[in-house]
Amino acid sequence: MRIEKSLVVKSTPAAVWAFLSDPHRVARMLPGAAIQEQIDPQTYAGTMTVKVGPISTSYRGQMRFERLDAAAGVAELVASGQDVRGKGGAEVRMTSHVVERAPGETEVTFVSDLNVSGILAQMGRGMIEQVGDQMFQIFADAARVELEGDAARSGVTPNAPGATGAPGAPDAPRAPGVAAASAAEPIQMVSFGAKLMVGAMGRAVRRPIFWVVAVAVVVMLVWLIRR
Amino acid sequence: MIPAEFDYHAPSTLSDAIALLSGLGEDAKILSGGQSLLPLLKLRLGQVGHLVDLSHVPGLEYIKEEEGFLKIGGATRESMLERTPLIASKYPILLDTARVIADPIVRNRATVGGNLAHGDPANDHPATMLALGAAVVSHGPKGERTIPIAQFFTGIFSTALAHDEILTEIRIPIPPARSGGAYVKLERKVGDFATAGVAVYVALGQNGTVEQAGIGLTNVGPMPVKAAEAERYLVGKKPDAAVIAETARLAAKATAPTADRRGAVDYKREMARVLTMRALKSALERAGGK
Amino acid sequence: MATHQIRVTVNGNVLEAEVESRLLLVHLIRENLRLTGTHIGCDTTHCGACTVLLDGEPVKSCTVLAVQADGREVMTVEGLEKDGKLDPVQEGFMQEHGLQCGFCTPGMLMTSYALLKRNANPTEVDIREAISGNLCRCTGYVNIVKSIQYAAAQPR
Amino acid sequence: MALKTTPEVSGMGHSMKRKEDPRFIRGQGRYVDDVVLPGMVYMDIVRSPYAYAKIKAIHTEKALKVPGVLAVITGETLKGFNLHWMPTLMSDTQMVLPVDTVMYQAQEVAAVIATSRYAAADGVDAVEVDYEPMKPVMDPFKALEPGATVLRTDKEGKKDNHIWHWEAGDRADTDKAFKEAAVVVKQDIYIPRIHVASIETCGCVADFDRTNTHLTVYMTTQAPHAIRTVFALVAGHVGLSEEKIRIISPDIGGGFGGKVPVYPGYVIAVAASVVLGKPVKWIEDRMENLQADSFARDYHMTAELGATRDGTMTALRIKTIADHGYTDAAANPSKYPAGLFSICTGSYDIKHAFTEMDAAYTNKPPGGVAYRCSFRVTEAVHAIERMVDVLAQELKMDPAELRFKNFIPPEKFPYHSVLGWEYDSGNYPAALHKAMDMIGYADLRKEQAEKRARGELMGIGISSFTEIVGAGPSKDFDILGIKMFDSCEIRIHPTGKAIARFGTKSQGQGHETTYAQIVAEELGIPASAVQVEEGDTDTAPYGLGTYASRSTPVAGAAGAMAARKIREKAKKIAAHLLEVSEEDLVWEVGKFSVKGAPQKFKTIQDIAFAAYTNHPQGMEAGLEAVSYYDPPNLTFPFGSYICVVDIDRGTGAVKIRRFVAVDDCGNIINPMIVDGQIHGGLSMGMAPSLFEEISYDENGNNTAGSFMDYLMPGSMETPNWETGKTVTPSPHHPLGAKGVGESATVGAPPAIVNAVVDALAHLGVRHI
């Protein structure tokens, strides 16, 4: 499935680019992640543990930059991982775009194509998407702290111009819930993409008739009422 | 489906239970009714080193009115809520809620405290407790504390409880005269999680205006949803058809559902609206305001 | 591997066993005690084939640990017939064709038995609600409802 | 039908209480998981989380260190015995365990054998598999597009995902009829993939005795004899010989078609038992059952119906894409890759019809088995019964009126359908009239009109289906070459009691009772004194098994024929005892008496005793017979169902208010059991209409892989079914009976869908 996110930080495009193209720095913003080795200039291996309440999943895998175009501000990476207990895996292809919105204000847009396989995708009942949102929120907040420095930490811009996370998501990097380790812990990560391995997924399913009816009726009634 | 190995502990006092949890650390998990936790362990979606069973800790199963509150012990079974006359007569919203959780056999094991402490946005009690303005009492190594329900849920499957804190009681303010609440759940079949669920509580003044309002929603966001804007809107108004409709619209606005087999995002939002209307009407009726 | 010495009364007989922490009650019943009337149908508390009574209340024994039954009373389908006399729910299922393949039947019987203990004169809705956590793939429930009504009508 | 026998004898037509119930209500049934053998070990299976992936490595070291784990079996292990692939019933091939590629999520990847269930599960967790995921092909339409990833690279020269093309009828003639039709309606109809989900999952205990090279397998199978032959054919080269294979199908906790196939798990368990020399038990859990076992349906149909302005149907055309998963492992008779789909002209006298189908490989589990339905008849009935309503809507005709206008008239039976079937008997108007009377059709239409005026949503749906069951005549029907006869062997004991053994296997249908009633009807021996046995290949006569509503039409007929053979011999003995010639004897239930001297008679019990103690010189002793019955035709049960639904305007929730089912299955053996079959069938007809669907996301994840999402209806979701009967006997069945186990599953879905569409029709909805 496709996920689009954006993040605006009070920082220069160059600083943001330097951050985004350094997996080790990005890693520190992502709870539960650890880079284990650099395989070649573009490829890194690592692990990532996502813990949601009593459910925990550890992935190991690789992240590879397929394109790093500083001039255009475009980075493209592919990350893939496999659940260490053989229960599934995920792959994400993510393109990020760094654009200056105003002097000292930079917007990063992320477009990801995510494929998740295994029990979490089967039984996550929409939860994966929400976990992804929360994780993005944590990442975004942590990235803002990293890039904006003390201003963010003091809470001046805690939630705005925030990431497009879900309403009700925790608004601080120390928010519990998603991750076992908090973002502040100076370890771990696989890649920017890896966190999205558990990010959203949509299901193009044909539902049993009841649900088709349900949706059809409601849509129709809404339409009739509005007409 | 067979769980991975763990060790089981059955402390006989609350302080032993807390001590065990503190001593064993994050690797220990509280076993209350077990109706959510054991399936997770059987699926091996989660793994724990230790389970600390609360069923041998006395005094955690009760339903009583005391000191201006309805007090429900943390380990009170859902089936006890269903069968307690006080609940049926005075707290029908709790009966509404208990009766649509899982199925009757599961409710013989499942506990009210577990339903809240599991932190699952698809569970039903959170919405009801949000509507009722309940508070959660917990015991941990640092003693007792009371957490307002609005601050209890902190993320998907996560709550304000520390890992070694035990939810021991739920406190619901005893409702004034001319008040009422209702919980309405849309489910695909018995035993299913809600497509959407809405709990509404209202208290009416002498002239029929709404003096207090609580609205909580189930499974339409990463956490149980408190429809604060809708609540604020409703308070001080005479609940006529237009007000009911607007309240429902605002409640639906507060949701952030994700698409799954239960329906698309728009459908779920619409269900939040429709069910809010229904729950609000029912709550008003029960409050005597028709 | 952590084990526990437990003492459980099953159908009136006191049994002692050493069990692993994670042993499920249904496996204690089926494998350790060889009472195979209790079945496993779904593992996720949806089907109710494993329903037994724990201190008189129906529970899904695939989602209860054996060690949790320590010091308590378990009743299974094998405990329904007393002194060669069938329980009225057993009679009812036979008379009203309340079973076909028989796989869900023990769980249905235990739920029905507990219902009638609590409510001697259930309405059809009471019955349908009570068995709503027990799935049957064969009968369409019509005759199961009749079977329980038959049992309720028996003099006690 | 007038009763011929007393309640004490309980022949046909008696609602005899079931003989199998005393053990089930005591928890004394014996299902596969109840079988425990000395030294038995347990098997659990490692399954693929990916729908399509290369297997780079399987690491078994950690698993082998788990206490209690004895062995890990992989595709490489089986390859050593050339057992890693097996044939399917449709002459395709299927992996037992993969060597290099997995083709669907939850496919078997390796098996762990351990001393306990718990250790086996731990072992499964400890097996590490390195996969290289590939993009799965999930959509059968995309699978058939040029350039699609070719999935079956194991098949030499295979360049696409097309499995087969099948057609029936005259294309040109039908095209012409459509050109001439005044009205043509067209509709895409998808029947989703579903799963029978019997409450008992599949499993087996395989017990190989090395000393005697003898294999006994206790297994959840609806067709034990055919399975024995399959095992002999698949594993003959490793020393399994058919006389040394014994398949025992004990009590079966529901089958519905899902226990016909040979699943890899069975074969792996057998292999494991051969390798280890110990009994091996394998019982799947519910998720494995829903995710890996054979599915049903998954037909994407485009149907067209042509008619005159006044509503006379003239032409039918249906084009179907069938999603078969990664291999065609459907359970159909060999000649019928699309089953009996060509029954799709249904209950209507349609003169021109053509239907074609293409089957595709996708990255889904294999199958194409029944879901309580005879070989794709549900799909066919759904198509025609939906199209009739679509046409009625187009013509603004009442759907009942349109049906009456087009029914095959009762006087036209036996009726030759344009797609080649000979319908044995039927009276369709009678069934629909009865259903309309029972439900109060005219009043409901009035109520509906009033409700529409108030903005309420209420719908009435009709389905007047024709089933085709009882496969089948040997000239056309075989499975793996074995003709689809069935069998019965009856032995009468000296004291006049009997044992009757059949080639079928009950999974809840009550054969122990109904077969006994057939013998009682034919011989007058009380059904209570007839012991019925099935399911043990060492003792029962060879038969093709129980599925597709074939037990009564085929094995039941064999029972009657075997009993009649016994009666022939009994007549000779009676003539000997009464000292009269055979021509002077008349048979009444349970005795031969002398014509004109009814006081002179010998009961079947007298005769049975004489068969062992005083039989005529020159005659062999004993009183027994075997019949292998080859039916001259299929049977065509039918019915008319009417469903009333109310739809919640706010939520769209559909509630079935009433459902009347009038069935005609010819002469009835046990009315109580028939009603039970109808109730169950209706529930399984409702389930996929409103609740159940196996669905996949684009990555091949099965999103209905447990009972959390595969929504099997419970007591609160299931309405109080109302049943009625008409009786139109089959002219060719010895008892005039037809199969009934699946009629309701076949007939109910269109009634429900038609009702839902009807509730919304005034808003412009034509199909859902």
mmCIF file of all heavy atoms in Angstrom, chain A residues 1 82 86 89 115-118 121-122 206-210 213 218 221, chain D residues 50 105 129 190 291 649 653-654 689-691 693 699 701-702 753 756 768:
data_model
loop_
_atom_site.group_PDB
_atom_site.id
_atom_site.type_symbol
_atom_site.label_atom_id
_atom_site.label_comp_id
_atom_site.label_asym_id
_atom_site.label_seq_id
_atom_site.Cartn_x
_atom_site.Cartn_y
_atom_site.Cartn_z
ATOM 1 N N MET A 1 0.827 -1.188 0.000
ATOM 2 C CA MET A 1 0.000 0.000 0.000
ATOM 3 C C MET A 1 0.868 1.248 0.000
ATOM 4 O O MET A 1 2.056 1.196 0.228
ATOM 5 C CB MET A 1 -0.934 0.019 1.196
ATOM 6 C CG MET A 1 -0.251 0.392 2.494
ATOM 7 S SD MET A 1 -1.421 0.876 3.736
ATOM 8 C CE MET A 1 -1.999 2.415 3.058
ATOM 9 N N GLN A 82 12.856 -9.456 7.640
ATOM 10 C CA GLN A 82 12.102 -10.672 7.916
ATOM 11 C C GLN A 82 11.986 -10.839 9.410
ATOM 12 O O GLN A 82 12.972 -10.673 10.141
ATOM 13 C CB GLN A 82 12.834 -11.855 7.290
ATOM 14 C CG GLN A 82 11.986 -13.095 7.191
ATOM 15 C CD GLN A 82 12.744 -14.218 6.491
ATOM 16 O OE1 GLN A 82 13.384 -14.025 5.469
ATOM 17 N NE2 GLN A 82 12.668 -15.402 7.065
ATOM 18 N N GLY A 86 10.154 -16.056 11.848
ATOM 19 C CA GLY A 86 9.555 -16.662 10.654
ATOM 20 C C GLY A 86 8.080 -16.391 10.488
ATOM 21 O O GLY A 86 7.397 -17.081 9.748
ATOM 22 N N GLY A 89 7.252 -10.741 7.183
ATOM 23 C CA GLY A 89 8.288 -9.840 6.748
ATOM 24 C C GLY A 89 7.663 -8.605 6.137
ATOM 25 O O GLY A 89 6.444 -8.501 6.032
ATOM 26 N N ASN A 115 4.830 -3.221 1.724
ATOM 27 C CA ASN A 115 4.255 -4.559 1.613
ATOM 28 C C ASN A 115 4.572 -5.326 2.883
ATOM 29 O O ASN A 115 5.735 -5.503 3.230
ATOM 30 C CB ASN A 115 4.837 -5.294 0.411
ATOM 31 C CG ASN A 115 4.472 -4.593 -0.885
ATOM 32 O OD1 ASN A 115 3.306 -4.345 -1.147
ATOM 33 N ND2 ASN A 115 5.481 -4.238 -1.670
ATOM 34 N N VAL A 116 3.551 -5.778 3.552
ATOM 35 C CA VAL A 116 3.744 -6.538 4.784
ATOM 36 C C VAL A 116 3.173 -7.935 4.575
ATOM 37 O O VAL A 116 2.086 -8.088 4.015
ATOM 38 C CB VAL A 116 3.026 -5.875 5.978
ATOM 39 C CG1 VAL A 116 3.331 -6.629 7.265
ATOM 40 C CG2 VAL A 116 3.429 -4.424 6.109
ATOM 41 N N SER A 117 3.905 -8.928 5.010
ATOM 42 C CA SER A 117 3.413 -10.306 4.918
ATOM 43 C C SER A 117 3.448 -10.953 6.284
ATOM 44 O O SER A 117 4.303 -10.644 7.100
ATOM 45 C CB SER A 117 4.307 -11.133 3.980
ATOM 46 O OG SER A 117 4.173 -10.671 2.661
ATOM 47 N N GLY A 118 2.533 -11.870 6.492
ATOM 48 C CA GLY A 118 2.574 -12.658 7.709
ATOM 49 C C GLY A 118 1.477 -12.302 8.683
ATOM 50 O O GLY A 118 0.536 -11.582 8.370
ATOM 51 N N ALA A 121 0.114 -8.744 9.375
ATOM 52 C CA ALA A 121 -0.724 -8.220 8.301
ATOM 53 C C ALA A 121 -2.087 -8.899 8.309
ATOM 54 O O ALA A 121 -3.098 -8.294 7.976
ATOM 55 C CB ALA A 121 -0.040 -8.439 6.960
ATOM 56 N N GLN A 122 -2.090 -10.151 8.725
ATOM 57 C CA GLN A 122 -3.351 -10.876 8.727
ATOM 58 C C GLN A 122 -4.256 -10.445 9.862
ATOM 59 O O GLN A 122 -5.452 -10.309 9.701
ATOM 60 C CB GLN A 122 -3.084 -12.377 8.930
ATOM 61 C CG GLN A 122 -2.409 -13.044 7.781
ATOM 62 C CD GLN A 122 -2.243 -14.514 8.072
ATOM 63 O OE1 GLN A 122 -1.542 -14.897 8.985
ATOM 64 N NE2 GLN A 122 -2.927 -15.326 7.311
ATOM 65 N N ARG A 206 -12.650 -7.706 -0.916
ATOM 66 C CA ARG A 206 -14.062 -7.771 -1.230
ATOM 67 C C ARG A 206 -14.719 -8.308 0.012
ATOM 68 O O ARG A 206 -14.340 -9.351 0.506
ATOM 69 C CB ARG A 206 -14.282 -8.747 -2.372
ATOM 70 C CG ARG A 206 -14.446 -8.068 -3.684
ATOM 71 C CD ARG A 206 -14.678 -9.141 -4.694
ATOM 72 N NE ARG A 206 -13.379 -9.606 -5.127
ATOM 73 C CZ ARG A 206 -12.831 -9.262 -6.272
ATOM 74 N NH1 ARG A 206 -13.473 -8.529 -7.084
ATOM 75 N NH2 ARG A 206 -11.655 -9.691 -6.626
ATOM 76 N N ARG A 207 -15.657 -7.612 0.488
ATOM 77 C CA ARG A 207 -16.254 -8.044 1.725
ATOM 78 C C ARG A 207 -17.495 -8.869 1.462
ATOM 79 O O ARG A 207 -18.107 -8.767 0.417
ATOM 80 C CB ARG A 207 -16.630 -6.839 2.562
ATOM 81 C CG ARG A 207 -15.531 -6.462 3.491
ATOM 82 C CD ARG A 207 -15.799 -5.140 4.125
ATOM 83 N NE ARG A 207 -14.587 -4.374 4.054
ATOM 84 C CZ ARG A 207 -14.321 -3.528 3.090
ATOM 85 N NH1 ARG A 207 -15.181 -3.320 2.140
ATOM 86 N NH2 ARG A 207 -13.192 -2.885 3.081
ATOM 87 N N PRO A 208 -17.893 -9.672 2.426
ATOM 88 C CA PRO A 208 -19.151 -10.369 2.272
ATOM 89 C C PRO A 208 -20.267 -9.362 2.027
ATOM 90 O O PRO A 208 -20.156 -8.196 2.396
ATOM 91 C CB PRO A 208 -19.333 -11.072 3.611
ATOM 92 C CG PRO A 208 -17.957 -11.228 4.139
ATOM 93 C CD PRO A 208 -17.201 -10.038 3.653
ATOM 94 N N ILE A 209 -21.298 -9.866 1.446
ATOM 95 C CA ILE A 209 -22.346 -8.991 0.959
ATOM 96 C C ILE A 209 -22.859 -8.014 2.007
ATOM 97 O O ILE A 209 -23.075 -6.857 1.744
ATOM 98 C CB ILE A 209 -23.488 -9.848 0.406
ATOM 99 C CG1 ILE A 209 -23.002 -10.499 -0.884
ATOM 100 C CG2 ILE A 209 -24.730 -9.019 0.142
ATOM 101 C CD1 ILE A 209 -23.821 -11.678 -1.305
ATOM 102 N N PHE A 210 -22.993 -8.521 3.213
ATOM 103 C CA PHE A 210 -23.519 -7.666 4.269
ATOM 104 C C PHE A 210 -22.786 -6.338 4.303
ATOM 105 O O PHE A 210 -23.387 -5.284 4.367
ATOM 106 C CB PHE A 210 -23.363 -8.363 5.617
ATOM 107 C CG PHE A 210 -23.685 -7.477 6.797
ATOM 108 C CD1 PHE A 210 -24.962 -7.460 7.306
ATOM 109 C CD2 PHE A 210 -22.724 -6.663 7.363
ATOM 110 C CE1 PHE A 210 -25.259 -6.649 8.389
ATOM 111 C CE2 PHE A 210 -23.019 -5.846 8.435
ATOM 112 C CZ PHE A 210 -24.291 -5.851 8.947
ATOM 113 N N VAL A 213 -23.334 -4.182 1.380
ATOM 114 C CA VAL A 213 -24.648 -3.560 1.521
ATOM 115 C C VAL A 213 -24.583 -2.410 2.502
ATOM 116 O O VAL A 213 -25.046 -1.306 2.236
ATOM 117 C CB VAL A 213 -25.676 -4.577 2.058
ATOM 118 C CG1 VAL A 213 -26.993 -3.873 2.336
ATOM 119 C CG2 VAL A 213 -25.863 -5.695 1.074
ATOM 120 N N VAL A 218 -25.410 3.141 3.230
ATOM 121 C CA VAL A 218 -25.091 4.371 3.931
ATOM 122 C C VAL A 218 -24.638 5.450 2.960
ATOM 123 O O VAL A 218 -25.092 6.585 3.011
ATOM 124 C CB VAL A 218 -24.029 4.098 5.000
ATOM 125 C CG1 VAL A 218 -23.527 5.400 5.567
ATOM 126 C CG2 VAL A 218 -24.640 3.238 6.089
ATOM 127 N N LEU A 221 -27.649 6.678 1.175
ATOM 128 C CA LEU A 221 -28.550 7.501 1.973
ATOM 129 C C LEU A 221 -27.952 8.880 2.200
ATOM 130 O O LEU A 221 -28.638 9.886 2.109
ATOM 131 C CB LEU A 221 -28.861 6.823 3.299
ATOM 132 C CG LEU A 221 -29.701 5.553 3.141
ATOM 133 C CD1 LEU A 221 -29.944 4.925 4.492
ATOM 134 C CD2 LEU A 221 -31.023 5.844 2.458
ATOM 135 N N TYR D 50 4.828 -15.970 3.584
ATOM 136 C CA TYR D 50 4.757 -15.289 2.291
ATOM 137 C C TYR D 50 3.861 -16.055 1.323
ATOM 138 O O TYR D 50 3.791 -17.273 1.355
ATOM 139 C CB TYR D 50 6.154 -15.175 1.666
ATOM 140 C CG TYR D 50 7.099 -14.321 2.473
ATOM 141 C CD1 TYR D 50 8.049 -14.904 3.302
ATOM 142 C CD2 TYR D 50 7.011 -12.932 2.420
ATOM 143 C CE1 TYR D 50 8.908 -14.119 4.062
ATOM 144 C CE2 TYR D 50 7.869 -12.146 3.171
ATOM 145 C CZ TYR D 50 8.813 -12.742 3.991
ATOM 146 O OH TYR D 50 9.653 -11.955 4.734
ATOM 147 N N GLN D 105 0.481 -18.258 0.997
ATOM 148 C CA GLN D 105 0.697 -18.046 2.426
ATOM 149 C C GLN D 105 0.130 -19.225 3.202
ATOM 150 O O GLN D 105 -0.974 -19.680 2.906
ATOM 151 C CB GLN D 105 -0.001 -16.765 2.873
ATOM 152 C CG GLN D 105 0.362 -16.393 4.301
ATOM 153 C CD GLN D 105 -0.322 -15.118 4.737
ATOM 154 O OE1 GLN D 105 -1.525 -15.012 4.687
ATOM 155 N NE2 GLN D 105 0.458 -14.133 5.138
ATOM 156 N N VAL D 129 13.740 -20.083 8.523
ATOM 157 C CA VAL D 129 13.705 -20.219 7.073
ATOM 158 C C VAL D 129 14.088 -18.873 6.458
ATOM 159 O O VAL D 129 13.551 -17.843 6.838
ATOM 160 C CB VAL D 129 12.298 -20.628 6.597
ATOM 161 C CG1 VAL D 129 12.306 -20.892 5.089
ATOM 162 C CG2 VAL D 129 11.802 -21.855 7.356
ATOM 163 N N TYR D 190 -19.741 -12.051 -8.605
ATOM 164 C CA TYR D 190 -18.578 -12.709 -7.996
ATOM 165 C C TYR D 190 -19.030 -13.520 -6.804
ATOM 166 O O TYR D 190 -19.737 -13.011 -5.925
ATOM 167 C CB TYR D 190 -17.538 -11.675 -7.561
ATOM 168 C CG TYR D 190 -16.374 -12.285 -6.802
ATOM 169 C CD1 TYR D 190 -15.572 -13.260 -7.416
ATOM 170 C CD2 TYR D 190 -16.083 -11.924 -5.492
ATOM 171 C CE1 TYR D 190 -14.521 -13.847 -6.735
ATOM 172 C CE2 TYR D 190 -15.017 -12.499 -4.812
ATOM 173 C CZ TYR D 190 -14.239 -13.464 -5.438
ATOM 174 O OH TYR D 190 -13.187 -14.044 -4.760
ATOM 175 N N GLN D 291 -6.431 -21.311 6.436
ATOM 176 C CA GLN D 291 -5.474 -20.693 5.527
ATOM 177 C C GLN D 291 -4.872 -21.647 4.509
ATOM 178 O O GLN D 291 -4.404 -21.202 3.460
ATOM 179 C CB GLN D 291 -4.338 -20.043 6.338
ATOM 180 C CG GLN D 291 -4.842 -18.885 7.173
ATOM 181 C CD GLN D 291 -3.750 -18.263 8.022
ATOM 182 O OE1 GLN D 291 -2.583 -18.339 7.692
ATOM 183 N NE2 GLN D 291 -4.141 -17.655 9.131
ATOM 184 N N ARG D 649 -31.484 1.381 8.020
ATOM 185 C CA ARG D 649 -31.085 2.517 7.175
ATOM 186 C C ARG D 649 -29.841 3.218 7.678
ATOM 187 O O ARG D 649 -29.082 3.785 6.915
ATOM 188 C CB ARG D 649 -32.212 3.564 7.154
ATOM 189 C CG ARG D 649 -33.225 3.380 6.083
ATOM 190 C CD ARG D 649 -34.154 4.583 6.068
ATOM 191 N NE ARG D 649 -33.522 5.730 5.461
ATOM 192 C CZ ARG D 649 -33.880 6.232 4.282
ATOM 193 N NH1 ARG D 649 -34.865 5.687 3.615
ATOM 194 N NH2 ARG D 649 -33.273 7.283 3.773
ATOM 195 N N ALA D 653 -27.092 -2.623 8.261
ATOM 196 C CA ALA D 653 -27.120 -4.002 8.747
ATOM 197 C C ALA D 653 -28.358 -4.727 8.212
ATOM 198 O O ALA D 653 -29.459 -4.192 8.235
ATOM 199 C CB ALA D 653 -27.115 -4.026 10.271
ATOM 200 N N VAL D 654 -28.124 -5.936 7.740
ATOM 201 C CA VAL D 654 -29.200 -6.738 7.167
ATOM 202 C C VAL D 654 -29.677 -7.737 8.210
ATOM 203 O O VAL D 654 -28.877 -8.417 8.834
ATOM 204 C CB VAL D 654 -28.685 -7.525 5.942
ATOM 205 C CG1 VAL D 654 -29.764 -8.459 5.414
ATOM 206 C CG2 VAL D 654 -28.209 -6.569 4.858
ATOM 207 N N SER D 689 -23.355 -15.494 2.237
ATOM 208 C CA SER D 689 -24.121 -14.361 1.728
ATOM 209 C C SER D 689 -23.939 -13.145 2.617
ATOM 210 O O SER D 689 -23.914 -12.015 2.140
ATOM 211 C CB SER D 689 -25.613 -14.699 1.683
ATOM 212 O OG SER D 689 -25.824 -15.908 1.026
ATOM 213 N N LEU D 690 -23.838 -13.373 3.911
ATOM 214 C CA LEU D 690 -23.822 -12.241 4.832
ATOM 215 C C LEU D 690 -22.577 -12.142 5.705
ATOM 216 O O LEU D 690 -22.315 -11.101 6.292
ATOM 217 C CB LEU D 690 -25.058 -12.293 5.747
ATOM 218 C CG LEU D 690 -26.420 -12.222 5.059
ATOM 219 C CD1 LEU D 690 -27.529 -12.336 6.089
ATOM 220 C CD2 LEU D 690 -26.576 -10.929 4.278
ATOM 221 N N PHE D 691 -21.820 -13.218 5.842
ATOM 222 C CA PHE D 691 -20.768 -13.185 6.858
ATOM 223 C C PHE D 691 -19.375 -13.629 6.391
ATOM 224 O O PHE D 691 -18.400 -12.955 6.660
ATOM 225 C CB PHE D 691 -21.166 -14.050 8.060
ATOM 226 C CG PHE D 691 -22.404 -13.579 8.762
ATOM 227 C CD1 PHE D 691 -23.646 -14.124 8.471
ATOM 228 C CD2 PHE D 691 -22.335 -12.568 9.703
ATOM 229 C CE1 PHE D 691 -24.791 -13.674 9.097
ATOM 230 C CE2 PHE D 691 -23.481 -12.105 10.343
ATOM 231 C CZ PHE D 691 -24.710 -12.662 10.035
ATOM 232 N N GLU D 693 -16.065 -14.784 4.267
ATOM 233 C CA GLU D 693 -15.284 -14.689 3.045
ATOM 234 C C GLU D 693 -13.805 -14.838 3.373
ATOM 235 O O GLU D 693 -13.307 -14.231 4.311
ATOM 236 C CB GLU D 693 -15.483 -13.323 2.345
ATOM 237 C CG GLU D 693 -14.616 -13.227 1.097
ATOM 238 C CD GLU D 693 -14.724 -11.893 0.352
ATOM 239 O OE1 GLU D 693 -15.459 -11.013 0.820
ATOM 240 O OE2 GLU D 693 -14.061 -11.766 -0.679
ATOM 241 N N ASN D 699 -0.632 -8.401 -1.032
ATOM 242 C CA ASN D 699 0.601 -9.136 -0.762
ATOM 243 C C ASN D 699 0.360 -10.617 -0.524
ATOM 244 O O ASN D 699 1.273 -11.346 -0.149
ATOM 245 C CB ASN D 699 1.312 -8.533 0.455
ATOM 246 C CG ASN D 699 1.800 -7.132 0.159
ATOM 247 O OD1 ASN D 699 2.406 -6.893 -0.879
ATOM 248 N ND2 ASN D 699 1.503 -6.187 1.034
ATOM 249 N N ASN D 701 -1.639 -11.859 1.795
ATOM 250 C CA ASN D 701 -2.011 -12.194 3.168
ATOM 251 C C ASN D 701 -3.474 -12.590 3.224
ATOM 252 O O ASN D 701 -4.338 -11.860 2.726
ATOM 253 C CB ASN D 701 -1.802 -10.994 4.096
ATOM 254 C CG ASN D 701 -0.344 -10.603 4.213
ATOM 255 O OD1 ASN D 701 0.482 -11.398 4.634
ATOM 256 N ND2 ASN D 701 -0.025 -9.375 3.821
ATOM 257 N N ASN D 702 -3.720 -13.713 3.848
ATOM 258 C CA ASN D 702 -5.089 -14.139 4.069
ATOM 259 C C ASN D 702 -5.639 -13.318 5.238
ATOM 260 O O ASN D 702 -5.169 -13.440 6.369
ATOM 261 C CB ASN D 702 -5.087 -15.637 4.413
ATOM 262 C CG ASN D 702 -6.478 -16.183 4.653
ATOM 263 O OD1 ASN D 702 -7.379 -15.473 5.083
ATOM 264 N ND2 ASN D 702 -6.662 -17.452 4.371
ATOM 265 N N VAL D 753 -29.644 -12.785 -1.262
ATOM 266 C CA VAL D 753 -29.128 -11.654 -2.038
ATOM 267 C C VAL D 753 -30.272 -10.978 -2.795
ATOM 268 O O VAL D 753 -30.352 -9.746 -2.841
ATOM 269 C CB VAL D 753 -28.005 -12.117 -2.995
ATOM 270 C CG1 VAL D 753 -27.542 -10.952 -3.855
ATOM 271 C CG2 VAL D 753 -26.830 -12.679 -2.199
ATOM 272 N N VAL D 756 -32.031 -8.751 -0.431
ATOM 273 C CA VAL D 756 -31.301 -7.517 -0.119
ATOM 274 C C VAL D 756 -31.397 -6.537 -1.294
ATOM 275 O O VAL D 756 -31.668 -5.345 -1.112
ATOM 276 C CB VAL D 756 -29.827 -7.827 0.235
ATOM 277 C CG1 VAL D 756 -29.029 -6.538 0.367
ATOM 278 C CG2 VAL D 756 -29.748 -8.626 1.528
ATOM 279 N N ILE D 768 -25.609 -6.841 -5.859
ATOM 280 C CA ILE D 768 -24.528 -6.631 -4.900
ATOM 281 C C ILE D 768 -23.693 -7.896 -4.844
ATOM 282 O O ILE D 768 -24.167 -8.966 -5.147
ATOM 283 C CB ILE D 768 -25.025 -6.285 -3.490
ATOM 284 C CG1 ILE D 768 -26.143 -7.251 -3.083
ATOM 285 C CG2 ILE D 768 -25.501 -4.853 -3.399
ATOM 286 C CD1 ILE D 768 -26.499 -7.181 -1.638
#
